[in-house]
Every structure is written in structure tokens, then in C-alpha cells.
Amino acid sequence: MTQTPASPAPLHWKIVIDANDPHAQAGFWAAALRYEVEDNSALIEKLLGFGALPEEATVEFHGRRAFRDLIAVRHPEDPFEEESGTGLGRRLLFQRVPEAKTVKNRLHLDLHPGEGRREEEVARLEGLGARALRRVAEQGGEWVVMADPEGNEFCVQ
């Protein structure tokens, strides 16, 4: 019996999205995707205790400490580090930047709510603060181009 070398483990990944208000964006996308906002409060308390993080680098978010300039959302079924609250699977990380969005995204998310549920999902997302920009009907399919509360485009298939 020939043994083959073990395959390397898949890489963990996250998509990083620039934001003026990372916490509002995290709240929107957690609701939009039915993800969870990561709870990094245990890590933050530890860093504050060591003096490795200044108090002004934190904010209160949903009744717990969060980093002021970044916050992530993760798939609720994916693993995460208990000690830090950091997800180890599908994640979106929102980081504060000083400038506003000015041009079209080079990368965007496509949401797939399921057959016959597009309009219901568009209405739900509008209720969360998104806006429909245009409806597209092409030979390859139909979708709605939307913008999140900070103007980042995404599509609902």
C-alpha cells in the first residue's frame, strides 16, 4: 500500500471591506447574510489588561467591548477561536478608513436567496438599509444590483 503525503489544510480567508462606520456595516451584513458579529471582547479585555491596547482603541457594541476600527462577521456554523472570538471560516471584516467610497467595487458579493425568492429578499434587504440600484435581465439570467448603507454594490440573484 503506497502512502501519499497529506494534503495541506485549506486556508482560512476573509474579505476585508473598507468602511466609514465598520460597526454599522457589520450589523447590516450580519443581518443580510444571517451571520454573527464576532465577539472579540475577551481578547480585548486581555489586551487592555496587558496594556497592549489603549482604551480609546475600543468602543461598546451590542453591550460588549469591540475594536474601534474593525469588526468582523462570520458564518454561524463555522469554527472560531474561543479565546479571541475570531472566526476560522467564512468571514467579512470591516475596517475603518477615512475616505468615502468613490468608484465602482472591483469585487462584490452575490446573494442567492433561492428560486423565486429574489423580490422577497430585495425587500428584506431594503428594510435593513440597502437600496436597489437597478434590475438586470440578460441572456445569462436576472438579478438586482443593490447598494449597502455605505454604497458598496452587491447583487441578489
Side-chain angles (χ1 to χ4, degrees):
M1 182 162 156
T2 307
Q3 290 201 342
T4 59
S7 297
L11 298 176
H12 299 296
W13 59 269
K14 64 182 170 284
I15 295 174
V16 179
I17 301 171
D18 291 348
N20 292 113
D21 185 344
H23 300 89
Q25 286 292 90
F28 170 81
W29 282 103
L33 298 173
R34 295 180 176 93
Y35 273 33
E36 294 178 356
V37 175
E38 290 184 353
D39 179 358
N40 303 121
S41 60
L43 173 63
I44 291 168
E45 294 296 340
K46 189 176 186 179
L47 293 171
L48 287 167
F50 289 149
L53 182 70
E55 184 78 32
E56 58 271 10
T58 70
V59 296
E60 185 176 315
F61 182 70
H62 291 245
R64 59 184 186 239
R65 283 204 200 249
F67 291 107
R68 182 187 59 152
D69 293 329
L70 58 91
I71 190 164
V73 300
R74 65 177 171 81
H75 190 285
E77 296 174 4
D78 285 354
F80 64 96
E81 292 178 347
E82 296 273 340
E83 187 175 315
S84 69
T86 301
L88 301 172
R90 296 161 279 188
R91 301 173 69 218
L92 299 177
L93 177 97
F94 301 92
Q95 67 179 4
R96 185 180 312 280
V97 296
E99 66 276 354
K101 179 185 173 299
T102 57
V103 297
K104 184 181 183 307
N105 300 8
R106 293 295 304 246
L107 173 102
H108 70 267
L109 301 179
D110 279 357
L111 307 185
H112 299 267
E115 186 69 32
R117 296 192 50 226
R118 182 184 316 116
E119 293 310 315
E120 172 188 334
E121 187 65 11
V122 166
R124 186 182 78 85
L125 294 165
E126 287 175 326
L128 294 172
R131 32 181 232 287
L133 300 178
R134 66 185 174 281
R135 295 177 183 281
V136 179
E138 294 181 353
Q139 188 174 1
E142 294 183 21
W143 60 92
V144 178
V145 178
M146 299 190 76
D148 72 14
E150 289 197 6
N152 299 303
E153 295 93 1
F154 64 98
C155 297
V156 180
Q157 299 291 319

